[in-house]
Every structure is written in structure tokens, then in C-alpha cells.
Amino acid sequence: VSTRDRMVHTLDETGSVLWGAVETQQTFSEAVDRLLAAYDVERPVAEEDARLFFEDLSLKGLVQVKDPD
């Protein structure tokens, strides 16, 4: 549930895998590695899927994407 828009957001299987990375505060690369472990997909495809997922969540105010220090 988003406090910003009071909406319930549901995730598909890929989103659930990536949300696991959010819950454990993993890096983007680690999130991509989760996708690679879960699905038979090439790294560039997993990276693009993860980028779009996190961009969408960020636009909805559900996550903050930080650049690595």
C-alpha cells in the first residue's frame, strides 16, 4: 500500500523477485543477479527489466533509488 496515493500495488513474479532485493537492501546488480538465478534470461534483458521496475516504483514514490557511494 502506498501512503502517497493510498493504492494497493500488486507484483507479478518478476516484480516479487525484485521486491525481495528491495526488502534486503541489495544493490541493483544484486537485484539483477536475483533475476538471472530465477529465470533463463540474458543479463541485458534482466538489467532492462529491473531498471524499468525500479523506475516505475520510484515514480510512484514507493522506493528511492540511490546512486552507489
Side-chain angles (χ1 to χ4, degrees):
V1 177
S2 168
T3 56
R4 176 189 248 180
D5 60 11
R6 296 182 181 213
M7 299 278 299
V8 173
H9 300 273
T10 58
L11 302 173
D12 61 13
E13 286 185 42
T14 302
S16 294
V17 170
L18 291 171
W19 188 256
V22 171
E23 290 181 319
T24 57
Q25 299 182 0
Q26 292 183 313
T27 65
F28 180 80
S29 181
E30 291 167 328
V32 171
D33 289 342
R34 280 177 167 257
L35 287 181
L36 294 172
Y39 302 104
D40 183 23
V41 64
E42 298 293 324
R43 181 167 281 278
V45 173
E47 288 173 343
E48 180 66 5
D49 287 350
R51 184 189 67 75
L52 291 172
F53 176 79
F54 291 124
E55 185 177 272
D56 184 51
L57 291 184
S58 179
L59 289 172
K60 291 176 180 174
L62 299 172
V63 298
Q64 273 189 321
V65 178
K66 294 192 248 180
D67 288 329
D69 294 329

